[in-house]
Amino acid sequence: MIELSDVHKAFGDNHVLRGVNLSIPKGTSMVIIGGSGTGKSVILKCILGLIQHDSGLITLDGQDVTKGDRDAFLARFGMLFQGGALFDSLPVWQNVAFRLLRGSLKRPWAEAREIAIEKLRRVGLTPEQADKFPAELSGGMQKRVGLARAICAEPEIIFFDEPTTGLDPIMSGVINELIREIVVEMGATAMTITHDMTSVRAIADNVAMLHGGKIRWTGPVANMDNSGDPYLEQFITGSAEGPIESVR
């Protein structure tokens, strides 16, 4: 389980997180929604230790994430980045197998390539595409490569940062379906950040809405449409009228 207790984070005078409390049970898929700049990515970065929270406690299976073996901690995670974050100078299979070619998870070259090709097949790409470079692939294919990389080292926990950004509705649906299938197959714990309500409905077990530096509402995705929370209702409907101020 991932648990955040009264987590605060400020950047100068900008208090982004103002006491976040959130629990993500093991083996479930949590989707965090909220407006741009509300701190969704900051939560993700604080959990991973990419930035240090100012106060509060973040634990993974009861252990403080700021303590213990850093490499062993990060080895438990996979990540699908918003922009793909593929290395242009590396062929597709080396992008996928990046963590298996170095560090504590290092495997022999041939074995790493074999695992990468297997993961590419899992996301619907062929072995022939393994030796291409990212620039030779479409945006949807690049997103699949990013997903293959996220699962290549068989992580216990996978983070998805805006997984459908820049994709057309059909490809977004394909990626959402792949994410849901893979998370269930692996029994992984998943946390997704997205603005895409179609993605929320497709991949979430539970939803949390971040607004004003705090979790406004959290609960099962099935309860989202009947939450009674005016902030969540406005976000779901995309209405300009409501408690969330819009820039005009």
Side-chain angles (χ1 to χ4, degrees):
M1 174 183 282
I2 301 170
E3 192 152 12
L4 293 85
S5 302
D6 196 28
V7 173
H8 291 252
K9 179 62 186 175
F11 299 93
D13 294 331
N14 182 18
H15 295 269
V16 179
L17 304 181
R18 298 172 177 264
V20 168
N21 294 290
L22 184 65
S23 295
I24 306 173
K26 189 172 184 177
T28 64
S29 177
M30 170 67 78
V31 177
I32 300 178
I33 59 175
S36 298
T38 53
K40 301 184 300 298
S41 293
V42 174
I43 290 178
L44 185 153
K45 290 173 182 176
C46 285
I47 294 172
L48 289 173
L50 299 178
I51 57 177
Q52 182 64 50
H53 53 288
D54 298 329
S55 62
L57 181 65
I58 303 175
T59 60
L60 173 59
D61 296 337
Q63 300 297 312
D64 187 335
V65 299
T66 64
K67 296 178 169 58
D69 187 315
R70 182 80 181 143
D71 287 341
F73 171 76
L74 290 176
R76 301 176 69 178
F77 289 84
M79 176 83 188
L80 176 60
F81 297 92
Q82 179 175 345
L86 301 179
F87 298 101
D88 293 338
S89 60
L90 297 179
V92 163
W93 81 264
Q94 288 185 38
N95 269 281
V96 173
F98 191 79
R99 294 176 74 178
L100 303 182
L101 294 171
R102 54 191 47 77
S104 61
L105 299 176
K106 188 174 182 179
R107 306 283 186 89
W109 191 265
E111 183 183 346
R113 178 181 167 84
E114 186 177 331
I115 293 170
I117 289 174
E118 175 197 333
K119 299 306 180 186
L120 286 168
R121 282 199 184 99
R122 179 61 194 87
V123 300
L125 296 177
T126 66
E128 289 72 29
Q129 288 158 326
D131 291 312
K132 292 185 176 181
F133 287 87
E136 299 177 82
L137 303 180
S138 68
M141 286 183 175
Q142 289 184 25
K143 193 70 75 169
R144 290 179 193 236
V145 173
L147 180 54
R149 179 174 61 187
I151 65 173
C152 194
E154 301 287 339
E156 301 170 40
I157 305 153
I158 311 175
F159 286 169
F160 302 98
D161 188 4
E162 299 285 0
T164 58
T165 294
L167 301 180
D168 64 63
I170 294 173
M171 184 52 65
S172 293
V174 170
I175 295 298
N176 286 334
E177 190 172 309
L178 274 172
I179 288 173
R180 185 64 187 175
E181 287 176 359
I182 286 170
V183 167
V184 171
E185 276 176 19
M186 296 178 66
T189 303
M191 189 178 99
T192 304
I193 294 168
T194 187
H195 295 94
D196 183 350
M197 294 310 299
T198 302
S199 291
V200 174
R201 298 179 194 283
I203 65 181
D205 293 317
N206 299 299
V207 179
M209 181 176 180
L210 182 67
H211 181 78
K214 296 186 176 184
I215 299 297
R216 283 281 322 177
W217 183 89
T218 186
V221 66
N223 297 347
M224 182 174 65
D225 291 316
N226 301 303
S227 68
D229 183 273
Y231 290 84
L232 180 59
E233 288 178 358
Q234 183 185 356
F235 190 84
I236 290 171
T237 60
S239 173
E241 303 298 327
I244 302 174
E245 295 182 3
S246 57
V247 179
R248 297 174 184 267

